[in-house]
């Protein structure tokens, strides 16, 4: 059946209505006209795919990846990079307006690389195949080269000898490589900082954008007394903020990240940061010193209600919220809106060719 796409959803899928039922279609752009077929039917919506393009957008490009449309890794490689940035900016703006009631202008900072930017990859292994999951299935597609990966990671794929596990993680700093088989650690050099990380620790996958985020944090921190850093990983944001703060207290649940964070204090000559290992929701109400600034960089699920309620009790002057999921970001900002005004929103394209985007927000306390 022939359809015209009216808009895109937050995952970059085209939206149309068939028999009054919303249908989401991959690999199509706003205002494009195409013949499609329904691939899956659900109670409230359908999924479809294009069988023939009738009219295409000027923003459409030919995806460089031979696996595109089969592998579930990239979602919007059929958009020009300029269109990708516009999509992500509009996505965050629309989500904040719809779910947080906030109308705001924002900018998006592009990545220096659209391809070969990832410093980490998790590969799946099944039936001697090494690669990614076929979209919507548990079937592994054998990948010889992923265009999103740093070239050192692609070189390492050919060297995988242990195919006994279900997954294989590789990480690089551009020269050295660690993996499941070589579970050592790397030193990541970002701006003037050095960070020790191992294969199990969280670290941003785009080193260039990571450096810009650090600069953004520095520029939005005034000289202050106490900073509380939630979900602190290997201590990156704590160490960056230690230059402006008298004292920084950080909470991280992952033991590997916690151990690396402690090592990173010595690596960077920092002596005004203390780390706590455990869940944020278990430890935040045990903090005796009221923070002046809270930095939070939670997982995609956002912050839990207890954490938000304790933040409301602390009432710090400023909250810096960094998020990779705009939906939960909007939800949490809405819950904090009684006491805080969103004064700044800036997007960073941490994940080119995917619908994901990193968002940096500054919330100021209402007095």
């Amino acid at each position: 059946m022939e359809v015209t796409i009216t808009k895109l959803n937050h995952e970059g899928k085209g939206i149309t209505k068939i028999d009054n039922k919303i249908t989401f279609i991959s690999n199509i752009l706003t205002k494009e006209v195409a013949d499609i077929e329904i691939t899956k039917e659900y109670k409230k919506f359908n999924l479809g795919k294009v069988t023939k393009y009738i009219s295409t957008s000027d923003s459409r490009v030919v995806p460089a990846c031979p696996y595109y449309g089969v592998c579930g890794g990239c979602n919007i490689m059929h958009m020009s990079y300029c269109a990708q940035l516009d999509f992500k900016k509009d996505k965050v703006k629309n989500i904040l307006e719809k779910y947080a009631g906030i109308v705001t202008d924002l900018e998006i900072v592009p990545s220096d690389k659209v391809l070969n930017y990832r410093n980490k990859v998790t590969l799946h292994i099944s039936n001697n195949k090494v690669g990614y999951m076929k979209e919507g299935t548990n079937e592994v597609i054998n990948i010889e080269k992923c265009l999103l990966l740093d070239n050192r990671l692609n070189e390492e794929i050919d060297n995988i000898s242990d195919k006994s596990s279900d997954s294989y993680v590789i990480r690089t700093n551009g020269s050295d490589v660690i993996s499941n088989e070589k579970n050592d650690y790397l030193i990541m050099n970002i701006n003037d900082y050095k960070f020790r990380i191992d294969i199990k620790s969280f670290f941003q996958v785009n080193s260039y954008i990571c450096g810009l985020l650090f600069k953004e944090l520095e520029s939005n921190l005034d000289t202050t007394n106490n900073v509380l850093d939630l979900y602190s990983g290997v201590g990156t944001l704590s160490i960056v903020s230690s230059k402006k703060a008298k004292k920084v207290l950080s909470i991280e649940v992952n033991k590997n990240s916690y151990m690396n964070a402690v090592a990173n204090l010595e690596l960077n000559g920092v002596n005004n940061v203390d780390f706590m290992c455990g869940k944020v929701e278990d430890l935040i109400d045990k903090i005796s010193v009221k923070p002046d600034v809270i930095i939070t960089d939670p997982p995609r699920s956002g912050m839990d209600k207890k954490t938000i309620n304790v933040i409301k009790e602390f009432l710090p002057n400023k909250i810096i919220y960094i998020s990779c999921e705009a939906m939960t970001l909007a939800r949490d900002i809405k819950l904090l809106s009684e006491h805080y005004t969103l004064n700044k929103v800036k997007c960073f394209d941490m994940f080119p060719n995917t619908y994901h985007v990193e968002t940096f927000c500054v919330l100021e306390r209402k007095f």
Side-chain angles (χ1 to χ4, degrees):
M1 61 197 77
E2 182 181 309
V3 299
T4 301
I5 299 305
T6 55
K7 60 182 179 178
L8 304 180
N9 74 354
H10 69 280
E11 294 182 346
K13 289 184 169 65
I15 299 176
T16 189
K17 276 194 174 183
I18 298 173
D19 297 331
N20 276 335
K21 198 174 185 181
I22 290 178
T23 300
F24 300 108
I25 305 167
S26 300
N27 198 348
I28 198 164
L29 301 175
T30 302
K31 296 183 180 179
E32 287 190 329
V33 181
D35 286 338
I36 66 110
E37 66 177 30
I38 303 298
T39 55
K40 283 188 179 180
E41 293 189 40
Y42 297 92
K43 186 175 181 180
K44 294 185 178 180
F45 65 92
N46 294 326
L47 298 180
K49 69 175 183 179
V50 175
T51 57
K52 179 184 177 182
Y53 293 100
I54 297 170
S55 173
T56 56
S57 167
D58 292 340
S59 297
R60 174 170 289 281
V61 297
V62 178
C65 177
Y67 309 105
Y68 189 69
V70 181
C71 161
C74 295
N75 327 96
I76 57 172
M77 194 181 267
H78 57 283
M79 293 184 193
S80 68
Y81 190 53
C82 183
Q84 289 187 28
L85 295 175
D86 286 342
F87 160 73
K88 293 182 182 186
K89 184 171 69 172
D90 290 343
K91 161 185 166 172
V92 173
K93 185 176 180 178
N94 292 336
I95 287 174
L96 285 174
E97 183 174 352
K98 183 175 181 179
Y99 296 101
I102 295 171
V103 179
T104 183
D105 290 325
L106 54 92
E107 63 177 301
I108 185 166
V109 179
S111 176
D112 64 333
K113 296 179 181 179
V114 181
L115 302 174
N116 305 120
Y117 63 86
R118 286 191 65 99
N119 58 42
K120 180 187 177 184
V121 63
T122 300
L123 299 163
H124 299 280
I125 301 175
S126 178
N127 297 324
N128 219 35
K129 292 180 180 179
V130 179
Y132 300 133
M133 293 291 189
K134 184 176 180 180
E135 187 173 14
T137 74
N138 292 320
E139 179 186 346
V140 174
I141 305 168
N142 203 61
I143 300 290
E144 293 182 6
K145 182 180 181 180
C146 173
L147 296 182
L148 298 193
L149 304 186
D150 183 290
N151 287 325
R152 284 294 286 115
L153 297 180
N154 277 315
E155 291 169 8
E156 193 70 16
I157 292 175
D158 293 332
N159 300 324
I160 296 174
S161 58
D162 180 12
K163 297 181 180 179
S164 59
S165 61
D166 294 331
S167 63
Y168 195 91
V169 185
I170 321 172
R171 175 170 257 159
T172 185
N173 57 8
S175 55
D176 302 317
V177 174
I178 56 174
S179 67
N180 291 24
E181 293 182 81
K182 295 177 278 188
N183 190 10
D184 201 353
Y185 66 88
L186 292 172
I187 301 297
M188 301 291 289
N189 293 285
I190 307 290
N191 301 350
D192 297 325
Y193 304 99
K194 294 180 179 180
F195 298 104
R196 169 186 165 136
I197 56 172
D198 62 30
I199 205 66
K200 296 180 180 179
S201 298
F202 171 79
F203 198 85
Q204 299 287 12
V205 299
N206 187 325
S207 300
Y208 171 78
I209 292 294
C210 183
L212 295 184
L213 274 173
F214 290 173
K215 290 179 180 179
E216 191 67 30
L217 175 60
E218 289 173 339
S219 68
N220 283 278
L221 271 179
D222 302 317
T223 301
T224 188
N225 289 322
N226 298 303
V227 171
L228 175 60
D229 181 14
L230 307 178
Y231 318 94
S232 57
V234 297
T236 53
L237 303 182
S238 295
I239 289 170
V240 171
S241 60
S242 69
K243 288 185 175 182
K244 297 281 187 77
K246 182 178 179 181
K247 191 72 177 177
V248 182
L249 179 62
S250 304
I251 303 176
E252 170 55 39
V253 66
N254 183 283
K255 190 174 181 180
N256 285 79
S257 294
Y258 165 80
M259 293 173 66
N260 282 296
V262 173
N264 287 331
L265 295 182
E266 184 176 353
L267 200 58
N268 290 278
V270 173
N271 56 18
N272 61 335
V273 179
D274 289 333
F275 288 101
M276 301 171 68
C277 187
K279 292 181 179 180
V280 168
E281 58 267 33
D282 292 341
L283 297 178
I284 190 168
D285 58 353
K286 295 177 173 60
I287 295 169
S288 57
V289 179
K290 176 189 171 184
D292 303 291
V293 177
I294 288 180
I295 301 169
T296 180
D297 186 3
R300 294 191 190 282
S301 56
M303 296 191 291
D304 66 285
K305 287 185 178 180
K306 177 185 174 182
T307 298
I308 290 175
N309 288 335
V310 175
I311 290 174
K312 289 178 180 180
E313 293 175 8
F314 283 147
L315 284 180
N317 297 329
K318 181 183 289 187
I319 300 171
I320 294 176
Y321 195 137
I322 301 172
S323 172
C324 60
E325 176 49 70
M327 297 289 282
T328 53
L329 170 68
R331 179 201 68 197
D332 291 351
I333 288 176
K334 178 70 173 177
L335 293 172
L336 291 164
S337 62
E338 179 186 355
H339 302 289
Y340 290 90
T341 300
L342 180 61
N343 281 351
K344 183 172 189 175
V345 187
K346 195 171 184 178
C347 295
F348 291 82
D349 194 21
M350 183 78 72
F351 317 96
N353 295 304
T354 79
Y355 63 78
H356 301 291
V357 61
E358 199 83 359
T359 306
F360 183 99
C361 296
V362 179
L363 291 84
E364 302 277 357
R365 183 182 168 187
K366 298 175 182 177
F367 287 96

